[in-house]
Amino acid sequence: AWSLAKGFFPELYEGLPEATYWWMALAGLIGLFFSIVFHELSHSVVARRYGLPMKGITLFILGGVAEMEEEPPSAKAEFLMAVAGPIASLILAAAFYLLYLLGGEVGLPEPLNGVLRYLGLLNLLLAVFNMLPAFPMDGGRALRAAIWHRSGNLRKATRIASTAGIWLGYGFLGLAVLNLATGNFVGVIWWFLLGMFIRFAAQGSYQQLELRRALEGEPVRRCMTAETATGPPEMASKERGEDYADRKFFPVVEGERLLGCVTTARVREAPRESWGDTPVRNVMAPPSADNTVGPEEDAMKALSKMQASGQARLMVTDGGRLIGIVTLKDLMELLALRMELEG
């Protein structure tokens, strides 16, 4: 909004009141959010058509991202998902530009027509920029799909597309240095942020693929710990709270039935002075899809649950019974073993 109100709109439309520039910037900002969501939603619609679960769409300062939980099932699905976003942006660009032309014909107020012009240009830039052949941008995904289709090797395709992304990131960092030399400090900030984001996103995307390859197909049973400390539901929170320094996580069982788990976060919700009188039943979290995993489920699925919930431990259950605990450390040790065996 600041960039639009202080730079873009005043350069194009001179002599307007400052308040008008800020209203134009606010309208442009709302249009920007809508355009990015529409772009990412197009990716998501195509992904769901191919059976890929989508966790959501996240907006951040450099744009947005549709969050996929799995890799595309085929090169065709990858390509169609990749181009869906830029096509959606081109449709919006044409629609906003036609509205801008129509506004000039019917005499729309200059500020309103200026916002329509900005949104048309914005969506055109979104389409062109996202089609740069550098992973994980849309063009990089299309490049990966083409290499994957030709070679039949997703790992090779991801490595090549990610390398292109890393070099594009370095290129944007170079543009930041050029802007610094010319005194364009706003340009420095944007090019530096874009360069850093694309460089690390490209590297991270390849590492995520390697991680998925190493853990998928490995059952949780292989790396879980069967022997684990548990407690009955009527045990006082104080007994558990004082022992969290080295455990931090206790399943709560009654006979063979798992009732839930108690963690430091749950205990802290109760006043410290009442720990001695509060049974863990009152502060435990019941078993749920977020804190349990089956013994035959993929280790990668367990890791995804940990990432989503921010937990480093999951209870391994079978038919409502606790049969073990799997920790982030267990998964990393399995990962290290697989990577060492594969060289």
Side-chain angles (χ1 to χ4, degrees):
W2 174 76
S3 297
L4 292 175
K6 292 296 185 179
F8 183 82
F9 287 129
E11 287 184 9
L12 288 180
Y13 304 97
E14 298 179 358
L16 297 177
E18 185 173 355
T20 301
Y21 290 133
W22 279 103
W23 281 113
M24 293 172 72
L26 180 60
L29 184 63
I30 294 172
L32 168 65
F33 285 165
F34 167 76
S35 299
I36 294 176
V37 169
F38 189 79
H39 179 108
E40 298 299 335
L41 186 61
S42 302
H43 290 309
S44 303
V45 168
V46 175
R48 293 186 66 172
R49 178 168 178 83
Y50 282 92
L52 283 172
M54 305 297 294
K55 293 192 293 184
I57 294 171
T58 298
L59 299 183
F60 60 107
I61 192 170
L62 298 179
V65 60
E67 301 171 37
M68 289 190 301
E69 293 184 337
E70 302 173 7
E71 292 290 345
S74 65
K76 177 183 177 181
E78 170 86 311
F79 181 80
L80 293 178
M81 283 170 48
V83 300
I87 289 174
S89 292
L90 287 175
I91 292 172
L92 282 183
F96 281 121
Y97 191 70
L98 287 175
L99 288 174
Y100 161 70
L101 294 178
L102 182 61
E105 294 292 330
V106 302
L108 278 181
E110 187 178 53
L112 177 57
N113 223 28
V115 172
L116 293 175
R117 179 185 178 186
Y118 160 71
L119 292 176
L121 177 62
L122 167 76
N123 279 281
L124 178 61
L125 290 175
L126 275 176
V128 173
F129 181 76
N130 273 283
M131 282 308 294
L132 291 175
F135 199 78
M137 298 168 66
D138 298 337
R141 289 190 173 276
L143 173 64
R144 181 173 81 153
I147 299 173
W148 183 8
H149 176 73
R150 182 169 184 141
S151 67
N153 189 327
L154 175 60
R155 185 182 186 185
K156 175 184 176 182
T158 305
R159 184 174 65 251
I160 294 173
S162 295
T163 301
I166 291 171
W167 281 106
L168 179 67
Y170 285 136
F172 286 160
L173 291 175
L175 289 175
V177 174
L178 288 177
N179 277 267
L180 182 62
T182 59
N184 181 7
F185 295 109
V186 174
V188 170
I189 294 172
W190 285 114
W191 287 120
F192 177 79
L193 288 174
L194 277 172
M196 294 297 289
F197 169 73
I198 292 175
R199 185 251 182 272
F200 286 108
Q203 182 177 1
S205 297
Y206 183 66
Q207 291 172 341
Q208 182 74 11
L209 176 70
E210 289 293 319
L211 178 65
R212 192 179 297 277
R213 285 184 66 256
L215 292 183
E216 272 185 341
E218 290 287 349
V220 168
R221 182 188 297 278
R222 182 175 175 186
C223 58
M224 73 179 191
T225 301
E227 298 294 329
T228 183
T230 62
E234 303 309 324
M235 178 177 291
S237 295
K238 181 177 178 63
E239 296 177 58
R240 298 296 83 177
E242 292 177 343
D243 200 21
Y244 278 143
D246 61 345
R247 295 188 183 273
K248 299 182 181 180
F249 181 97
F250 282 88
V252 182
V253 298
E254 191 170 50
E256 291 191 350
R257 188 164 65 98
L258 175 65
L259 299 182
C261 64
V262 59
T263 64
T264 49
R266 301 287 293 197
V267 170
R268 281 198 304 267
E269 292 176 2
R272 180 178 290 270
E273 60 271 14
S274 68
W275 283 4
D277 303 320
T278 303
V280 294
R281 182 191 295 276
N282 293 2
V283 294
M284 71 181 184
S288 68
D290 293 331
N291 59 24
T292 62
V293 66
E296 304 306 325
E297 290 189 52
D298 271 1
M300 187 63 205
K301 185 173 182 180
L303 181 59
S304 297
K305 285 187 177 185
M306 291 180 185
Q307 290 175 328
S309 64
Q311 301 179 113
R313 296 165 178 79
L314 296 175
M315 297 178 289
V316 185
T317 61
D318 187 11
R321 295 184 304 107
L322 178 73
I323 62 173
I325 295 290
V326 62
T327 69
L328 182 60
K329 180 182 176 182
D330 296 331
L331 294 176
M332 291 302 98
E333 288 176 350
L334 176 61
L335 173 65
L337 175 62
R338 286 292 302 271
M339 299 296 275
E340 184 176 351
L341 289 175
E342 292 188 10

